[in-house]
Amino acid sequence: MIKFFGSKMDTLTMKETVKTINDRIDQGTFTQHVVVNVAKIVNMQSDPILRDSVNDSDIINIDGMGLLWGAKLFSDQVKERVSGIDLFYELLRSSASSGNGIFLLGATQQVLNKASYKIKKQYPSLKINGSHHGYFSKDHERVIIEKINNSGAKLLFVAMSSPKKENFINRWKNKLNVNFVMGVGGTFDVVAGVTKRAPLWMQRYGLEWFYRLAQEPRRLWQRYL
């Protein structure tokens, strides 16, 4: 693990990350996971609650080529980017094989329904123990936590924007009965086909942000500026 611009960061590869997570799930050890990118690192400088939510996590992967390039300048331990959406799919695959159930939290109900359908179609043996949309008030959070706990799921994926998802996870982690929780941002929108992911060549050259900006300029221009 290294520390860069006030954030802890693991230097694990994708393969090492997946193995570490699955080993911890098998051992019954709770894991709070987060990915960091340039935008999140910038926001952490002026948002101490977000900074604490990130640094309190058990595994902190580097997601975003800009941050990967920057971190590599300061540490030879940094090996590769671990994209949140790619890790999400890897964990779906391993959960389908192990029989561990998952819970999907976030996005609109329509997007959630589409994402759940496509996930189940791609991984027929995967147990989706429960789901809930992401549009609920803070007063309703305790009810959501009870629903997650009653589902029997071992993995929880939270598809909300930052810093809402990081702070929600950190606020409730001690009340969760799952073994693993991860914030996945707009992943459900990509899975559902509502938004598209950048081509591989753009991902490799660090242009995924530009592709996303072109799709949602009004929402994302300030973030990427």
Side-chain angles (χ1 to χ4, degrees):
M1 180 175 282
I2 63 170
K3 196 162 187 179
F4 188 58
F5 280 101
S7 174
K8 296 176 185 176
M9 298 179 193
D10 284 290
T11 57
L12 301 170
T13 63
M14 175 65 79
K15 187 176 180 180
E16 291 167 343
T17 300
V18 173
K19 185 180 186 308
T20 300
I21 291 170
N22 285 327
D23 285 348
R24 289 172 67 95
I25 291 173
D26 291 342
Q27 294 160 9
T29 304
F30 177 78
T31 302
Q32 178 182 356
H33 178 278
V34 70
V35 295
V36 284
N37 52 29
V38 172
K40 198 172 295 184
I41 292 295
V42 170
N43 290 335
M44 286 170 64
Q45 308 310 305
S46 58
D47 187 340
I49 298 176
L50 173 61
R51 185 166 61 246
D52 289 344
S53 294
V54 170
N55 286 325
D56 283 348
S57 299
D58 301 292
I59 299 176
I60 306 168
N61 284 133
I62 298 172
D63 182 359
M65 291 301 292
L67 186 56
L68 179 69
W69 293 334
K72 275 188 171 183
L73 291 175
F74 289 87
S75 174
D76 57 7
Q77 297 178 54
V78 179
K79 306 177 188 75
E80 65 182 35
R81 173 193 181 201
V82 179
S83 163
I85 188 168
D86 291 332
L87 178 58
F88 173 73
Y89 276 115
E90 289 289 341
L91 293 174
L92 291 185
R93 190 177 296 112
S94 60
S95 296
S97 298
S98 66
N100 291 328
I102 69 168
F103 193 102
L104 305 174
L105 175 64
T108 64
Q109 190 62 55
Q110 184 178 16
V111 167
L112 186 58
N113 290 343
K114 286 182 180 179
S116 299
Y117 172 78
K118 290 196 172 183
I119 288 170
K120 195 65 180 174
K121 188 175 181 180
Q122 188 170 354
Y123 306 99
S125 62
L126 178 65
K127 298 176 184 176
I128 302 179
N129 288 34
S131 64
H132 197 283
H133 63 78
Y135 292 85
F136 52 87
S137 67
K138 204 167 183 179
D139 294 337
H140 197 60
E141 287 183 359
R142 189 174 295 276
V143 175
I144 301 297
I145 296 300
E146 288 177 3
K147 183 176 181 180
I148 294 166
N149 289 341
N150 290 336
S151 75
K154 288 196 174 184
L155 295 89
L156 168 63
F157 298 102
V158 182
M160 300 177 188
S161 59
S162 182
K164 185 178 179 181
K165 64 180 180 296
E166 291 86 1
N167 295 340
F168 171 84
I169 291 168
N170 204 43
R171 184 163 56 248
W172 289 102
K173 63 182 179 183
N174 293 327
K175 299 293 184 181
L176 285 168
N177 289 341
V178 298
N179 295 128
F180 174 82
V181 58
M182 170 188 182
V184 293
T187 293
F188 293 176
D189 292 289
V190 176
V191 174
V194 175
T195 57
K196 294 181 179 179
R197 197 176 179 195
L200 279 175
W201 71 267
M202 294 188 82
Q203 295 177 42
R204 292 192 186 108
Y205 285 98
L207 294 172
E208 195 164 9
W209 66 272
F210 183 77
Y211 191 85
R212 291 190 63 194
L213 179 62
Q215 290 185 84
E216 300 180 88
R218 289 186 179 182
R219 187 175 75 85
L220 296 175
W221 74 268
Q222 283 186 309
R223 169 181 171 177
Y224 288 118
L225 179 63

